Amino acid sequence: EAQVTQNPRYLITVTGKKLTVTCSQNMNHEYMSWYRQDPGLGLRQIYYSMNVEVTDKGDVPEGYKVSRKEKRNFPLILESPSPNQTSLYFCASSFLDLTDTQYFGPGTRLTVL
Amino acid sequence: GDSVTQMEGPVTLSEEAFLTINCTYTATGYPSLFWYVQYPGEGLQLLLKATKADDKGSNKGFEATYRKETTSFHLEKGSVQVSDSAVYFCALIDNTDKLIFGTGTRLQVFP
């Protein structure tokens, strides 16, 4: 089944404790991205990647890192999480770029205490 | 920068009622426009899209027409079902190739 998977689905952590949210797609897509969803703000893009080893900042990259060592994986790293990073996070992928259909993962709900 | 404005929710309807969710945009040029749907506990799914003026996107009984004169892309459905209850997001690709979302409109359909 074609899908985007994220892990974990739920995470509660404390300020400053490094964490990684994994994202994997099995559709051989070139384009992958991370979004955060906050009430009243919709979805905002954090980082995106057009291809392996190519990443770029979205609208709200501060406090996040990403890597794209393999085509299928695009982990989101929070080196020192803070409470304002409490949010619902979505990974998405598409065949080549944003004009193609975006396939979203099920979401990761992160709480930083 | 480019932006998308959606009507505030929730929109509450009875089954078989007519649905309109308003979406207007501000953009440089003529962006591609999208409607995404998010069912409870799930990620977003593309519902429909339109890439140029006067295009009509349609899927699952939903329709939206790209109106450049009014910079709008309103979502409509003639007869909603309980299973259409979800959050609907209007979005565009801006001139820096970023996907810009509206704040979302929650639809609740009651039997």
Side-chain angles (χ1 to χ4, degrees), chain B residues 22-42:
Chain B
N22 290 337
C23 171
T24 57
Y25 66 89
T26 302
T28 304
Y30 302 105
S32 294
L33 301 173
F34 305 83
W35 276 102
Y36 280 84
V37 57
Q38 184 179 29
Y39 298 104
E42 298 183 12

Side-chain angles (χ1 to χ4, degrees), chain A residues 6 21 23 31-38 42-48 58-60 64 66 74 76 85 87-94 97-98 100 102-105 107-108, chain B residues 36 44 91-93 97-101:
Chain A
Q6 295 178 227
V21 183
C23 172
Y31 187 96
M32 297 186 74
S33 60
W34 278 101
Y35 296 87
R36 60 178 289 173
Q37 182 179 14
D38 300 292
L43 278 80
R44 294 176 293 168
Q45 192 179 54
I46 303 170
Y47 268 96
Y48 65 96
D59 292 319
V60 288
Y64 304 94
V66 292
F74 191 47
L76 179 70
Q85 293 178 297
S87 187
L88 180 58
Y89 291 87
F90 288 100
C91 181
S93 73
S94 62
D97 57 31
L98 277 178
D100 301 311
Q102 297 286 301
Y103 292 84
F104 283 79
T108 295
Chain B
Y36 280 84
L44 279 72
L92 63 79
I93 296 178
D97 288 332
K98 290 198 177 75
L99 190 56
I100 306 295
F101 286 89

Side-chain angles (χ1 to χ4, degrees), chain B:
Chain B
D2 295 1
S3 65
V4 176
T5 302
Q6 289 182 238
M7 60 190 291
E8 291 274 339
V11 173
T12 304
L13 295 172
S14 297
E15 209 164 23
E16 299 184 4
F18 184 87
L19 168 71
T20 300
I21 299 179
N22 290 337
C23 171
T24 57
Y25 66 89
T26 302
T28 304
Y30 302 105
S32 294
L33 301 173
F34 305 83
W35 276 102
Y36 280 84
V37 57
Q38 184 179 29
Y39 298 104
E42 298 183 12
L44 279 72
Q45 303 173 26
L46 179 65
L47 182 59
L48 54 84
K49 69 178 181 182
T51 57
K52 61 183 188 295
D54 300 325
D55 265 4
K56 177 185 283 188
S58 61
N59 186 24
K60 299 182 181 179
F62 291 89
E63 293 183 340
T65 301
Y66 191 142
R67 304 275 189 210
K68 69 174 183 178
E69 305 84 7
T70 54
T71 61
S72 65
F73 193 55
H74 304 323
L75 183 68
E76 296 180 336
K77 187 176 185 183
S79 176
V80 293
Q81 306 299 313
V82 173
S83 56
D84 293 326
S85 297
V87 180
Y88 292 82
F89 291 91
C90 186
L92 63 79
I93 296 178
D94 74 3
N95 59 357
T96 65
D97 288 332
K98 290 198 177 75
L99 190 56
I100 306 295
F101 286 89
T103 54
T105 302
R106 182 176 299 280
L107 169 65
Q108 297 174 325
V109 181
F110 293 96

